[in-house]
Amino acid sequence: MPLYKLGDFDPNYRETFGGDDVKSLELYTQSGVRVGDISDVLVDYDGRFRYLVIDTNIEDSINKKILLPIGLSHIDYPAKRVYVDGLSKEQVAHLPEYHDNIAVDADYEERVRGVFRPQTSNLTYDRQTYNYQQEPDLYDLNDQYHQTFRLYEERLIANKQRVKTGEVAVGKHIETETARVEVPIQRERVVIERSSPTSLDAVVNPEEAQFEQGEVARIELYEETPEIRKEAFVREEVRVRKIIENDTVEAQEVIRREELDIDTEGNLLVNETNLEKHGNV
């Protein structure tokens, strides 16, 4: 896993730590002996502290930069000090020297761990599978100055869910009614008119008078009859479709949030730092 200098990873790290600068702290043993200064910090890809870069100065006899696994330190920002559990001259002498332009690879880190790893450790180092969680004593921030308090808050999470609100069925049925239509027709009838001659005393010539028995005049009569039939026509077309209407629904709910309460006794200087940018540091 690649490591980054604190300033390269977060150029505004001082603001992240509420104005505190870890690189300005001095390094002391638990007994109060000053053994050097913090010149830089190496963090991993997630911004977690992994090593303190120590500019050692032990009894003016050993002066070199070394890497100190973060789990062996106790950072005390109020006192502006970093305490280390028993960093000896022998350990410093066996540690590889660190330079600003050096590449801290897996082999370099294992040389550093080999100096601090207890002899009772049963860890079998495998470069391909090793991770920092395998050695919490070297890399975990678990003392009172490194404790992490998680403050929780509730948030409203809005999701959308499609629910069926109704259904429209469109069909057709047949309605009947009696329709009337008027059709003009013609009908023939016979009109027989009988009239008296203009002169009842006129004598008809016998040769013109022809008396015939059984004479019949035939006249054919016709009439029109209506012919009615039914035909189907398209009266109306109905298209069925659906549209989407957008609306905004506002909901409200009471949410809770945890805030930090700090109780102190005595005349203590307490600095509250803000770790919003890289909360994993």
Side-chain angles (χ1 to χ4, degrees):
M1 178 180 293
L3 297 174
Y4 308 90
K5 295 179 181 178
L6 182 58
D8 296 337
F9 182 83
D10 182 6
N12 300 317
Y13 72 90
R14 291 182 179 86
E15 297 179 6
T16 303
F17 289 95
D20 290 324
D21 189 357
V22 66
K23 293 195 289 186
S24 66
L25 305 182
E26 297 177 343
L27 182 68
Y28 287 80
T29 63
Q30 291 292 347
S31 59
V33 178
R34 184 173 179 275
V35 292
D37 302 285
I38 311 298
S39 64
D40 212 333
V41 179
L42 299 185
V43 300
D44 62 14
Y45 180 80
D46 295 321
R48 295 184 177 89
F49 280 22
R50 292 308 180 189
Y51 296 98
L52 297 177
V53 180
I54 310 298
D55 191 356
T56 60
N57 185 9
I58 302 178
E59 298 178 356
D60 297 328
S61 58
I62 300 178
N63 294 278
K64 70 176 182 179
K65 288 185 177 180
I66 62 170
L67 296 186
L68 177 69
I70 190 64
L72 301 177
S73 67
H74 310 271
I75 302 177
D76 188 347
Y77 283 109
K80 298 187 180 300
R81 289 186 177 186
V82 178
Y83 293 96
V84 60
D85 293 333
L87 181 64
S88 65
K89 291 189 295 183
E90 290 75 14
Q91 288 176 318
V92 174
H94 288 88
L95 284 169
E97 187 170 1
Y98 174 82
H99 301 284
D100 291 337
N101 57 354
I102 197 171
V104 180
D105 54 14
D107 293 335
Y108 187 96
E109 288 190 80
E110 180 58 21
R111 290 174 59 193
V112 173
R113 287 189 288 265
V115 174
F116 295 106
R117 185 178 291 135
Q119 295 181 353
T120 57
S121 175
N122 57 2
L123 175 69
T124 301
Y125 174 69
D126 185 341
R127 179 174 180 175
Q128 301 299 324
T129 61
Y130 181 85
N131 59 71
Y132 296 117
Q133 286 71 35
Q134 291 179 270
E135 295 186 278
D137 292 340
L138 297 181
Y139 296 105
D140 275 3
L141 308 180
N142 53 12
D143 65 281
Q144 61 177 331
Y145 297 110
H146 296 147
Q147 289 181 3
T148 301
F149 292 90
R150 295 182 177 179
L151 302 181
Y152 295 91
E153 69 176 6
E154 295 176 328
R155 298 179 181 177
L156 292 181
I157 305 300
N159 289 320
K160 296 187 295 184
Q161 184 178 10
R162 289 173 59 90
V163 296
K164 184 177 180 179
T165 58
E167 182 176 324
V168 177
V170 179
K172 64 180 182 179
H173 66 281
I174 298 176
E175 293 184 353
T176 62
E177 65 175 338
T178 301
R180 290 178 173 84
V181 61
E182 294 182 355
V183 181
I185 61 175
Q186 292 181 346
R187 182 183 295 114
E188 296 178 345
R189 63 187 179 91
V190 176
V191 178
I192 300 176
E193 296 180 350
R194 301 177 68 177
S195 62
S196 297
T198 56
S199 178
L200 295 176
D201 298 330
V203 178
V204 178
N205 187 353
E207 293 180 358
E208 295 179 358
Q210 296 180 2
F211 292 92
E212 294 181 4
Q213 186 176 354
E215 182 179 0
V216 177
R218 296 181 180 276
I219 299 176
E220 294 182 349
L221 303 178
Y222 294 90
E223 71 174 9
E224 295 175 333
T225 59
E227 180 182 345
I228 300 175
R229 67 180 187 278
K230 296 187 292 184
E231 292 184 353
F233 298 88
V234 177
R235 180 175 64 88
E236 184 181 359
E237 289 186 353
V238 178
R239 294 182 178 88
V240 180
R241 61 189 178 93
K242 64 180 181 179
I243 62 174
I244 298 176
E245 295 183 347
N246 296 322
D247 195 6
T248 300
V249 179
E250 181 176 343
Q252 64 180 19
E253 185 59 70
V254 177
I255 60 176
R256 299 173 296 174
R257 179 176 60 196
E258 296 179 342
E259 296 289 349
L260 184 65
D261 294 328
I262 302 175
D263 295 328
T264 61
E265 295 183 3
N267 186 15
L268 298 179
L269 176 61
V270 178
N271 289 342
E272 181 180 350
T273 60
N274 187 346
L275 298 180
E276 290 184 356
K277 184 167 185 180
H278 294 288
N280 293 326
V281 175

